[in-house]
Amino acid sequence: MVELAVGAAYGAVVGLAAGWLLRTTLRNGWAAEDFAGAGVLALSLLGYTSALALGGNGFVAAFVAGLAFGTMHGAPQRVLGYVEQSAALLSVLVWLVFGTLLLPEMAADFTWQAVLYAVLSLTVIRMVPVALCLAGSGLDARTVLFVGWFGPRGLASVIFGLLAVEELDPAGAHPVLPVLACTVLLSVLAHGLTSAPLARRYGRAVDDTGPAAAPADELPVRGMAGGGLHRVRRRGGPGRP
């Protein structure tokens, strides 16, 4: 609990300070805009590593720093685009490592229990909490199902799973790794195969009937700013798995 509190507080300070510095330097011409993207990318690394040195949680610090930075920065949109492209490249490298190293090692240990949990994790265990969080939002069942299916996914599963494994003794970590690998593999396949057709179907449904409550521009899709679902309809998919 102390690590989380230290990480959150430290991340907020770092993010606010970085946002103010970037906005001030760009406004006064003290820094070249071409290097602003690298500076924003460095903020996440700074927040993570320095929080660990202070005894805080690095992931929480980096996340909160990004939130705080977003309230203060005055960076042009293309600078943030550079950061998103860099993050996409790093995520591809992580998936490459997962597919070449972790998955072959764990595949032999897959059991029917691991497969069953992976299926439950991608459906009931994830979609029910998403539906509860959206209760009272005014969104229709179609939208809730769409958000629940394509909701929390991606690298977070790998990162938080590995963090949990680090805290376990070898005997306790052994049964966890096959479950982690099986869940991530199934997520990559299921979300990758269904992203384009389900997004096109959802886009046509919204075009025909309109969203139940919130405008489509207000429904977040990972990797997209406002108007994300409009771009989904034009491109035919919600993005990478």
Side-chain angles (χ1 to χ4, degrees):
M1 185 63 68
V2 174
E3 287 186 358
L4 297 178
V6 172
Y10 179 73
V13 172
V14 170
L16 291 173
W20 178 82
L21 285 172
L22 180 63
R23 184 176 60 186
T24 302
T25 53
L26 291 178
R27 180 183 300 168
N28 292 279
W30 297 341
E33 185 178 306
D34 292 340
F35 295 97
V40 176
L41 185 61
L43 170 62
S44 60
L45 300 177
L46 173 65
Y48 177 83
T49 55
S50 55
L52 291 180
L54 294 175
N57 185 290
F59 288 102
V60 171
F63 179 78
V64 175
L67 292 177
F69 176 83
T71 66
M72 291 290 292
H73 78 81
Q77 188 62 36
R78 71 182 187 89
V79 170
L80 302 182
Y82 167 85
V83 176
E84 184 172 353
Q85 292 170 0
S86 301
L89 175 61
L90 293 175
S91 69
V92 169
L93 295 177
V94 171
W95 289 123
L96 177 64
V97 172
F98 172 79
T100 56
L101 298 180
L102 182 61
L103 188 58
E105 289 290 330
M106 295 294 103
D109 295 325
F110 284 0
T111 62
W112 68 267
Q113 294 95 332
V115 175
L116 176 61
Y117 176 82
V119 172
L120 293 175
S121 180
L122 299 184
T123 54
V124 177
I125 296 175
R126 180 173 62 179
M127 296 179 73
V128 170
V130 170
L132 292 175
C133 290
L134 294 178
S137 65
L139 298 175
D140 60 8
R142 173 190 60 214
T143 301
V144 172
L145 287 173
F146 185 86
V147 174
W149 176 245
F150 289 112
R153 70 191 194 280
L155 294 178
S157 302
V158 178
I159 293 173
F160 290 126
L162 294 178
L163 285 176
V165 169
E166 282 188 1
E167 298 298 324
L168 297 173
D169 57 76
H174 180 72
V176 173
L177 285 174
V179 174
L180 170 64
C182 185
T183 303
V184 172
L185 174 62
L186 186 60
S187 174
V188 170
L189 294 175
H191 293 130
L193 292 173
T194 61
S195 60
L198 290 185
R200 284 194 295 265
R201 181 178 177 180
Y202 179 82
R204 287 194 298 267
V206 172
D207 284 336
D208 293 339
T209 63
D217 282 351
E218 300 302 321
L219 298 177
V221 177
R222 188 180 65 170
M224 300 179 183
L229 289 180
H230 291 306
R231 287 193 286 274
V232 165
R233 293 198 289 270
R234 289 200 298 269
R235 298 191 311 180
R240 59 190 181 276

